[in-house]
Amino acid sequence: MAADGSRGVLGLWLLAAAGLCGGVAASKSPSCHEVRTAFQLRQIGPLKLVPDVPTAESDLQICQHRAPTCCTKKMEESYQAAVRRERTQSIQALNFELKYMIVGHITAFQEAFESLLRFAENRTSSLFETAYRPMAKEAAEPVKELFTDISLYVLGAETTVESAVLRFFDSLFPLVYSRLINPGITDLSEDYTECLRLTRQDVNPFGHYSKNMVTELSKSLWASRMLSQALNLGIQVINTTEHAALTKECSKALVKMQYCPHCQGLTLIRPCVGYCLNVMRGCLASVSELDAQWREYISTLEYLTNEMAASHDVEIALTGIWNSINEAILHAQLNGPQLSATVDKVCGQPKQQEGNLSSDNIVPVKEAPADTQTFVMAHASLNNRRSSLPLKASKNDKPRSLKKVSREFINYMKRSRTFYASIAERLCDGDLVMRDSSTCWNGEDVVESYTSRVVSSGLKAQINNPELKVRGLDPLISNLIDKLQHFNQLDAEKAKLKLERWASRDTGSGGGRSEELESSGDCDDEDGCQGSGDRIHTADILKDKKTHPENRNEPKPTVKKIDTTTTTSTVKSSSKHSVTGNGSSPALSSSLVILTALAVLWHHPL
């Protein structure tokens, strides 16, 4: 019995040992647990696609291995979708800072420019409110339209600086003529207003000042317009590269590099550096072709920024608009009698106001001294108006400097010159590859180093790429390269032409009245100038209207009716001939003095 008991105990021990050994053997059997975990953490697809244990899958297209695998064909499809998504996210991450800077600068540029425009518009409005009160109300709308047109031009609208400026002076001349040169005019009809507008183009009442204003603004605003277009083009480049489609060869190569190790249970191994560079340079071959034009684009941005901050300072040009307008009005007042004579011949004589202007409001011509001192005093009064206008802005009104905004931006953009040449290196940097490990994945197995040839960036170099075939340039990228090339060439050619044109124009100024009457025909639309062929001659139009009466039914420009109830002020002399704000009408008083003086000289030449 004792022997039988000993045998029973021994049998139990043997069964227990056999069960333990079987459990150990079972725990070491192949499993896809790690693969399932990685598949879930990376949100590649539903877990049901991952088998529990490796199988002899025979229909795999990318991750083909002799040993049993934890991958299936459905998993390969999910991996391809995952690498496309991850590739887009990776490029977006690289682009984020660059895109943020460009978008941020577009916003800052627009805010600074709009602030500068408001500042310049307020100064111009204050000119009329301070020095030309009789026409301040009617001039408000033309001033607003002028600065609106300038803003639209800079933002890329199909308009020109010349058309905006000439349209402003077309609207201004009827006001100057009826309020300052001939303050007795009342009931200014639409037909007579239109005639004055057309006459302005021929008699040139504002002298060379309107032309100079076009030239200065065209010089300065051209760079701002081109910079605005360049920034929008930069955003287009970034958006296109972020969403460029992957070729089938590229998506398969990325799956092979990143996820084929998982099929063997190697979820922690990473690609070799050289292997990653070959795959990424092949996938981004088209994007890397942007390098040359992108470098030129950065140079273009730098050039435009320097133009804005150099001799063609947009801030000086815009804040100087009020002075150009003031000089133009003073020029028209000094030539009032000649302008009136010309206008009377072309447009006829308008109705004159009776009863509202007393003898105290107008200095009779016969009572004026018939010597040259009258003209000198009148001219001195106008000159004093140039310097006595209280137009100095407060510190709170001053806009943020466009120079500073652009300089900060271009300093960053210079560092992105090689952005598209080095994009593959940047994608292979960091956690994607194994740099400090003794082993890495070469696309087939775990090795100590990558032994295949590593090709350089660019489309041509991919002929020798051992990891994937690159068939040609992506059509979207090709179109983008053409846009960059066109913009860079257009900018370079225009810059060269402008330097020549503006240099010749600056040296050839002062050619007399015949030159003043000529339009700046050597400007093009992109400059903000239009040719002299667009000018309309008053005599031809009036003749055409008489010949074709139906033309009178055409829509006419809207002009606010002049307020005939404006109270005229007594002309007061002052030893300093200064402009005062004690309720008088300084612009009207000064114009009457000038009119009297010039009338004396007209009838009694020296």
Side-chain angles (χ1 to χ4, degrees), residues 248-305:
K248 291 182 179 180
E249 291 81 0
C250 175
S251 61
K252 290 179 179 180
L254 288 173
V255 170
K256 186 178 180 180
M257 180 180 74
Q258 293 181 242
Y259 291 111
C260 282
H262 291 205
C263 298
Q264 300 181 30
L266 305 173
T267 56
L268 299 180
I269 198 73
R270 291 176 185 171
C272 303
V273 176
Y275 177 43
C276 180
L277 288 174
N278 276 342
V279 172
M280 288 301 183
R281 285 172 178 171
C283 287
L284 299 171
S286 293
V287 174
S288 65
E289 289 297 304
L290 288 166
D291 177 57
Q293 291 303 322
W294 181 258
R295 290 172 186 262
E296 185 65 25
Y297 168 78
I298 299 299
S299 299
T300 300
L301 287 180
E302 186 176 4
Y303 168 77
L304 292 172
T305 302

Side-chain angles (χ1 to χ4, degrees), residues 13 37 42 72 84-85 144 152 200 204 224 262 269 330 339 375 387 406 424 430 449 460 464 525 536 574 605:
W13 276 106
T37 302
R42 296 186 180 220
T72 63
R84 285 193 292 268
R85 181 176 63 252
K144 181 179 179 181
L152 292 174
R200 203 279 314 164
N204 193 28
S224 299
H262 291 205
I269 198 73
L330 296 181
L339 293 176
F375 180 80
S387 58
S406 298
S449 63
K460 293 182 179 180
N464 300 315
D525 289 346
I536 305 173
S574 173

Side-chain angles (χ1 to χ4, degrees), residues 84 87 240-248 250 283 474 476-477:
R84 285 193 292 268
R87 183 259 191 187
T240 302
T241 56
E242 282 182 354
H243 299 94
L246 291 181
T247 64
K248 291 182 179 180
C250 175
C283 287
D474 185 336
L476 290 178
I477 301 298

